[in-house]
Structures are given as C-alpha cells and as structure tokens.
C-alpha cells in the first residue's frame, strides 16, 4: 500500500481571522512627471526641448490592515518618499546648451486602499489593490523668492493607486512583494509666466512606479 501524500504545513493558520494587523514597508520607486507643453513653448524658439526624466528613489512606511470580509481588506499605508522628478531642456539662447532641472521631493504620502485577496493556496495567496492617496511635499519650493531658474512645485497633490502582489506565509511573519502604479491627478506646477523654464509648461502631473516589500505580523 502506497503511503499517503504528505500535506503542506500551514504557517500562521489563525492569521486570516485577525480583525486587524500591522507591518512595515520598504520600497524603491521610479518617478517622473507627465508634462504638457504651454502655447509659449511653440511661440518661443529659445527653448527647443522640454521633456521629463525618470529617476530612482526609495520609500519607508508603516502599514495597518483591517479585515472587512473573507476576501476584502481595508489598508492604510502611510509612507515617507524620497523622489526626484527632473526635467531636461535644450536651450538655443543665449547659447546652445543642455540643461537639467533637478526637482527633488520629500513626500509624506497617505494612501487608503481596498485590497481584494484570493483564497489561500498553501502558504501563499495573490491580491490586488486600488485606492486614493494624498501627498504632502516637505521639500516644495512653491514659496521660493529667488526663482528665476526654478520650476516651482506645489506642496499638495492627490491621486490614485492600483497594483498587485503576493503574500508568502512564514512561521512568524508574512513576506509580501508588491508592484503598483501611483499617479497624481492634480497639476502640481505653480504657474509663473515670468520664469523662463516654467512658462513653456502648461501642466505637470506626478507619475510613480513602485516596487514594495511589506513585512506583516
């Protein structure tokens, strides 16, 4: 008689019944602006190119997860983000040259997400998330006075997020790699027609791709 097939040992069997739990988040981000050119860009031949650049940054955060039902959770994931959204210009006046404007941000981000999770498959499950966020930029230069060569950025922004991830259950914690898109809806450009590098831009909207690792208890 053949021996019975060994069953997978389930880790943290009682975890799914918890009404809430907490965790920490470590993440890397790639951030950039979606840029809309202003009419002045077409009429002014002193700047031939104005384009966004993609740069890398990182996030640190906390996580609070509340169980709504067997397959739905409500998740709050406040984070501190270090990001740069730089802009590239090609000038023709006063002389031909390439210019890169560095726009560094230190963001306090407050995302509230709805999480839909699959049935548990052994010590693993899949989930998707979607929700809204509010960002506050601690490094905003919106009130800078000597700003002739700056791109002024607003302090506040809001937007939406969506993504997907996996939960891997270990004996004492859950390891969750996650990929998400985090997009701003508002125009974060402080418009000033007197600023040379700013008046060729009509609108700037933040864009971010984030890869996160959540460690949950």
């Amino acid at each position: 008689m053949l021996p019975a097939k060994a069953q997978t040992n389930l880790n943290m069997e009682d975890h799914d019944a918890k009404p809430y739990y907490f965790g920490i988040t470590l993440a890397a981000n790639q951030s950039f602006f979606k840029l809309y050119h202003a009419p002045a860009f077409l009429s002014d031949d002193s700047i031939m190119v104005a384009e966004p650049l993609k740069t890398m940054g990182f996030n640190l955060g906390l996580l609070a997860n509340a169980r709504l039902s067997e397959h739905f959770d409500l998740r709050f994931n406040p984070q501190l983000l270090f990001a740069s959204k730089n802009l590239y210009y090609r000038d023709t006046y006063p002389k031909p040259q390439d210019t890169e404007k560095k726009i560094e941000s230190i963001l306090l981000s407050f995302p509230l997400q709805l999480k839909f999770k699959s049935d548990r498959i052994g010590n693993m499950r899949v989930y998707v998330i979607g929700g809204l966020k509010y960002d506050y930029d601690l490094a905003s230069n919106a009130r800078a006075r000597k700003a002739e060569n700056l791109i002024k950025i607003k302090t506040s922004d809001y937007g939406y997020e969506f993504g997907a991830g996996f939960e891997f259950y270990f004996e004492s914690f859950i390891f969750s790699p996650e990929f998400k898109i985090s997009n701003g809806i508002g125009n974060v450009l402080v418009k000033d027609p007197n600023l040379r590098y700013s008046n060729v831009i009509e609108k700037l909207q933040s864009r971010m791709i984030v890869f996160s690792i959540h460690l949950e208890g």
Side-chain angles (χ1 to χ4, degrees):
M1 183 176 180
L2 294 175
K5 187 177 180 179
Q7 294 183 348
T8 303
N9 292 325
L10 291 180
N11 296 323
M12 304 178 69
E13 289 188 64
D14 299 330
H15 183 272
D16 293 341
K18 286 185 176 181
Y20 59 87
Y21 60 86
F22 302 97
I24 61 173
T25 299
L26 305 174
N29 68 69
Q30 183 185 65
S31 56
F32 56 98
F33 281 125
K34 183 175 182 179
L35 185 151
Y36 299 82
H37 293 105
F41 177 73
L42 300 176
S43 60
D44 185 356
D45 59 0
S46 66
I47 297 178
M48 299 301 295
V49 176
E51 297 294 342
L53 298 174
K54 296 180 179 179
T55 54
M56 298 299 297
F58 64 95
N59 312 8
L60 302 171
L62 302 174
L63 183 146
N65 195 97
R67 185 178 187 269
L68 299 180
S69 67
E70 183 179 355
H71 293 290
F72 285 95
D73 292 345
L74 185 65
R75 193 171 79 170
F76 182 51
N77 190 203
Q79 297 183 32
L80 179 65
L81 288 77
F82 297 87
S84 295
K85 306 181 190 73
N86 300 338
L87 299 176
Y88 165 75
Y89 294 87
R90 180 170 296 167
D91 300 82
T92 59
Y93 177 84
K95 63 179 181 179
Q97 63 179 357
D98 293 336
T99 302
E100 183 177 332
K101 294 297 178 183
K102 294 185 178 180
I103 304 174
E104 297 181 351
S105 296
I106 302 174
L107 298 171
L108 289 174
S109 185
F110 303 95
L112 186 63
Q113 303 158 347
L114 188 65
K115 175 181 176 182
F116 173 74
K117 53 192 181 182
S118 71
D119 291 330
R120 184 166 169 174
I121 308 169
N123 287 315
M124 186 270 287
R125 75 163 84 242
V126 182
Y127 68 88
V128 294
I129 57 168
L132 302 175
K133 66 166 185 171
Y134 170 78
D135 292 341
Y136 184 86
D137 192 350
L138 298 174
S140 171
N141 60 2
R143 297 183 179 180
R145 293 184 177 181
K146 296 181 179 180
E148 291 81 3
N149 293 317
L150 292 180
I151 309 297
K152 288 187 176 183
I153 301 299
K154 295 178 182 177
T155 301
S156 299
D157 191 21
Y158 56 93
Y160 62 92
E161 299 185 328
F162 60 91
F166 297 88
E167 291 182 340
F168 296 98
Y169 289 74
F170 290 86
E171 290 186 1
S172 57
F173 68 95
I174 301 172
F175 176 80
S176 301
E178 176 187 290
F179 175 84
K180 74 175 180 181
I181 303 295
S182 180
N183 290 341
I185 297 174
N187 179 12
V188 297
L189 177 69
V190 178
K191 300 193 70 174
D192 190 335
N194 297 317
L195 302 183
R196 179 169 182 263
Y197 289 107
S198 181
N199 66 9
V200 297
I201 302 173
E202 181 68 24
K203 182 190 296 186
L204 290 175
Q205 291 182 317
S206 63
R207 297 288 183 264
M208 189 173 291
I209 300 170
V210 184
F211 176 74
S212 304
I213 297 294
H214 305 296
L215 301 176
E216 305 165 15

